Amino acid sequence: MDSHRLLKIGLFGFGCVGQGLYDILSREEGLPYKVDRICVKDPNKLRPLPSESFTYDWEEVLEDATLDILVEAISDASEAYTIVSEALRRGKKVVTANKKLVAYHLPELLALQNEFGGVLLYEAAVAGGIPIIRTVEEYFSNEPLDRVHGILNGSSNYILSQIFKKQKAYSEALKEAQDKGFAELDPWLDVAGADSRHKLCILTAHAFGRTLSPEEVAFFGIDFLDQQDWEFAKQNESVIKMVASVHQTPDGELVPVVLPSLVDSTDDLYGVEQEFNGVVVQGVYAGPQLFKGKGAGGHPTGAAVLSDIVSIANGYSYGYKKLNKTTNAPALALDFQFEVYLRSSEPDLVVELGLTNLQNVQRGADSFSLIGTVSLGSLIKSQELIRKAGAYVMALSSDFVNANVKKVRERVAIS
Ligand code: HSE
């Protein structure tokens, strides 16, 4: 691609990310990139640009040979899948911000690139403005990693910050996250942990060379968080953060999970507030490194898309070095044990989860809370039941690997 001439971009979607990119390119006049066509779905929707700026036929935009790079920034993952896979079938250079699309279809998207010679980059899909995919893919390409974990959803982190720091109600904080453009069209994805799960699947492919299907990853959210849960956190001098984590056991198996967790002031993630994300990459040799930045919002995410545009223009594509090196995909460590807090109104869940080492925290008229030990396999198997029961599950520490939760257990024992 000739990087001296003005490169034309075909943009699909004009929501938070699309507008963020458009705005950045309008302000940064000297850049050799121009949004030439914007394709949206609904001709009747009120938009910040005149209607002549838009086109409505996505196939026509795919066929437009004058476009150099296609940017997919629509929220519907199945429509995004149709557009991106068709574009790759035509050997196009594509940037997407759609994490659900990449999480569910990565192996196929890779095969399409190999077969038809197109390129797909998706830095904006994970942790918004933090350049975490390229960091893990390039900088850590030759160093084995022990663990990658962090806060990967800006909306839920914003909500938790508002609850803990500003004493706001959950519903008010969620409304704010939606108004500020952080939340997904369906905010359940944010608060239930599903969006973090999608991002974790993508990170795992680059960090550990294993494509996880989202169904393999247990996810728990803050949608059923209650006052007694954050009182419990406060009693333990902690806040609650939604932590997505994948680590490798000494046997080489993987432990991927999304779990709200108690985080105290000694934790790297403690100071990651509002819509910020924080990702700790723990190299076997480098040790832990914290990457912190805005995880949601039009400008941070648009900036990540712009960075992908520049990279594609310069001929970059992901090497998938760890994925290509791995001959036997690591299995999941289903026996791995977590120390968790459970609040529910259904005692059967304790049996269903196979919780051991039980300690009672509180017993109310229609709900109880306790702490116990549970395996990854049980979390995966019982997660749907837990969601249906409206129960809240939380790790006693974000450090699942070396969790020293003795202090929490001792405090519960004497209270
Ligand atoms: N809804 C997402 C979040 C947007 O809150 O993190 C960025 O992926």
Side-chain angles (χ1 to χ4, degrees):
M1 210 176 271
D2 175 5
S3 55
H4 297 296
R5 80 178 160 84
L6 193 65
L7 297 184
K8 291 185 179 174
I9 294 165
L11 174 62
F12 296 90
F14 205 60
C16 180
V17 180
Q19 287 179 40
L21 172 69
Y22 188 88
D23 190 53
I24 294 170
L25 286 176
S26 324
R27 289 168 189 234
E28 301 302 318
E29 281 171 4
L31 293 179
Y33 312 105
K34 172 179 185 265
V35 175
D36 200 55
R37 301 189 76 177
I38 308 173
C39 182
V40 291
K41 193 170 154 186
D42 182 358
N44 298 317
K45 197 166 163 181
L46 204 63
R47 296 180 200 278
L49 292 178
S51 59
E52 315 79 81
S53 314
F54 299 100
T55 169
Y56 304 95
D57 184 346
W58 62 269
E59 280 174 305
E60 190 205 317
V61 177
L62 279 193
E63 290 299 340
D64 185 342
T66 68
L67 297 172
D68 298 289
I69 296 170
L70 300 175
V71 172
E72 181 283 305
I74 61 179
S75 61
D76 186 302
S78 60
E79 288 172 6
Y81 166 72
T82 308
I83 293 170
V84 170
S85 57
E86 280 304 316
L88 291 176
R89 255 183 215 102
R90 289 163 169 82
K92 302 271 184 186
K93 297 185 165 40
V94 189
V95 175
T96 182
N98 199 310
K99 45 268 159 125
K100 190 172 176 187
L101 156 74
V102 180
Y104 273 94
H105 299 283
L106 185 56
E108 186 190 340
L109 297 170
L110 284 176
L112 287 173
Q113 289 171 77
N114 289 337
E115 188 175 349
F116 298 101
V119 178
L120 179 67
L121 298 185
Y122 42 79
E123 186 60 72
V126 180
I130 307 177
I132 196 66
I133 295 181
R134 258 176 287 163
T135 300
V136 169
E137 175 63 42
E138 299 303 332
Y139 185 87
F140 290 102
S141 62
N142 290 292
E143 180 175 350
L145 300 180
D146 282 325
R147 187 183 190 200
V148 178
H149 79 286
I151 296 164
L152 299 181
N153 183 267
S155 302
S156 53
N157 202 46
Y158 180 87
I159 294 169
L160 289 168
S161 294
Q162 295 300 314
I163 291 175
F164 272 90
K165 295 277 151 72
K166 305 253 172 78
Q167 285 75 45
K168 287 201 178 145
Y170 176 92
S171 53
E172 188 189 350
L174 170 60
K175 169 90 176 34
E176 281 178 20
Q178 290 178 293
D179 291 346
K180 288 172 184 281
F182 302 152
E184 300 297 303
L185 208 53
D186 174 3
W188 176 86
L189 291 161
D190 296 295
V191 295
D195 177 73
S196 298
R197 169 174 79 152
H198 299 147
K199 293 164 175 167
L200 187 67
C201 289
I202 301 172
L203 269 181
T204 303
H206 293 273
F208 292 98
R210 161 75 139 90
T211 50
L212 287 169
S213 95
E215 283 78 16
E216 290 179 286
V217 182
F219 67 102
F220 299 89
I222 56 164
D223 38 349
F224 300 117
L225 181 73
D226 200 346
Q227 181 157 1
Q228 35 182 311
D229 309 323
W230 71 78
E231 289 299 337
F232 178 76
K234 280 185 193 155
Q235 285 155 12
N236 287 288
E237 291 165 357
S238 298
V239 293
I240 296 171
K241 299 284 183 194
M242 200 200 283
V243 175
S245 172
V246 56
H247 74 267
Q248 196 148 31
T249 67
D251 298 336
E253 295 181 331
L254 291 182
V255 183
V257 75
V258 177
L259 204 49
S261 306
L262 291 182
V263 163
D264 68 19
S265 58
T266 65
D267 195 306
D268 279 335
L269 301 177
Y270 186 80
V272 181
E273 296 281 10
Q274 309 295 357
E275 76 273 29
F276 279 75
N277 283 189
V279 189
V280 181
V281 179
Q282 178 145 357
V284 167
Y285 301 101
Q289 298 181 352
L290 169 67
F291 298 84
K292 179 178 160 184
K294 288 192 174 172
H299 277 161
T301 316
V305 171
L306 172 61
S307 181
D308 275 352
I309 291 172
V310 177
S311 298
I312 278 202
N314 289 326
Y316 176 77
S317 59
Y318 299 132
Y320 295 99
K321 297 187 191 72
K322 290 190 174 163
L323 204 57
N324 290 333
K325 214 161 60 189
T326 310
T327 38
N328 287 325
L332 300 190
L334 298 175
D335 291 338
F336 185 84
Q337 304 287 314
F338 294 87
E339 295 269 50
V340 295
Y341 162 100
L342 166 75
R343 182 186 43 74
S344 174
S345 54
E346 300 196 13
D348 289 355
L349 278 188
V350 180
V351 182
E352 180 64 34
L353 267 169
L355 275 175
T356 55
N357 300 325
L358 298 181
Q359 270 183 273
N360 195 33
V361 174
Q362 206 173 47
R363 197 165 284 276
D366 34 44
S367 82
F368 64 89
S369 52
L370 46 75
I371 58 181
T373 308
V374 64
S375 71
L376 177 67
S378 289
L379 286 178
I380 295 172
K381 191 161 63 74
S382 312
Q383 55 179 326
E384 208 45 61
L385 221 60
I386 289 171
R387 275 191 280 279
K388 279 210 183 97
Y392 177 71
V393 180
M394 160 170 84
L396 299 186
S397 160
S398 82
D399 184 1
F400 310 146
V401 190
N402 309 297
N404 179 2
V405 294
K406 214 167 121 215
K407 241 170 70 189
V408 180
R409 282 200 174 269
E410 278 173 5
R411 200 200 51 76
V412 168
I414 55 168
S415 61

